[in-house]
Amino acid sequence: MGKKVFLASDHAGFSLKSALCEHLKEQGHEVYDLGPEQAISCDYPNSAFKVTDKVLENEDSLGILICGTGIGMSMAANKVKGIRAALATCEFHAKATRQHNNANVLCLGERVTGVGVALGIADIFLNTEFEGGRHLRRIELFDKM
């Protein structure tokens, strides 16, 4: 069964976002593209907050944010309490951040990660579960900050 996934980008991540939306729908996920609708200049924090709001409102959902490097999106998303956004540049990052950090938002960089690699990263992120156990105690420390 697919996941509920909210995606957004800025202008520098628009093409990768479009490819991811199509790919994830084909994989059976319930995909919500929160914009932008075209590759025009926009402010990445606004896109990040659209996704983080939806992830927090929809239990068991996940988010994906794309900008040029993924760094700006991850910085913006992590300002929101309850969000654990992770920039992943390889499949191992995607797997580890879900298993150990229970990341609920994946950040990608269109200018630094090829489409094929990004699709693989997203697939692993969406299909890997949190291990809990000793990792849960560490995650709970985030909410105390």
Side-chain angles (χ1 to χ4, degrees):
M1 185 166 145
K3 303 270 184 179
K4 183 180 283 191
V5 185
F6 297 96
L7 290 94
S9 71
D10 67 358
H11 52 284
F14 179 80
S15 294
L16 180 55
K17 176 183 61 92
S18 299
L20 276 165
C21 284
E22 184 176 320
H23 173 75
L24 296 177
K25 286 177 185 175
E26 290 172 0
Q27 300 298 312
H29 298 289
E30 186 179 340
V31 177
Y32 298 90
D33 182 348
L34 303 181
E37 295 180 14
Q38 53 186 326
I40 57 172
S41 183
C42 59
D43 297 324
Y44 64 84
N46 293 329
S47 297
F49 299 143
K50 286 179 185 179
V51 167
T52 58
D53 286 350
K54 291 293 185 183
V55 168
L56 292 173
E57 290 170 7
N58 292 270
E59 192 173 341
D60 297 325
S61 69
L62 295 169
I64 300 178
L65 294 167
I66 307 104
C67 63
T69 62
I71 297 168
M73 285 292 197
S74 65
M75 292 172 71
N78 279 315
K79 292 289 186 184
V80 178
K81 186 175 177 138
I83 294 297
R84 293 171 306 281
L87 171 60
T89 58
C90 67
E91 292 178 355
F92 178 76
H93 288 162
K95 185 174 183 175
T97 199
R98 287 289 299 136
Q99 287 178 328
H100 298 179
N101 309 121
N102 199 19
N104 51 10
V105 175
L106 170 66
C107 299
L108 297 166
E110 180 175 323
R111 294 177 179 160
V112 296
T113 305
V115 174
V117 173
L119 297 180
I121 291 169
D123 286 344
I124 288 175
F125 183 83
L126 296 176
N127 292 304
T128 301
E129 297 299 325
F130 179 51
E131 289 181 350
R134 70 185 188 280
H135 305 295
L136 180 58
R137 180 182 78 248
R138 296 167 184 151
I139 299 307
E140 289 171 340
L141 291 173
F142 289 172
D143 292 332
K144 293 181 182 179
M145 293 180 168

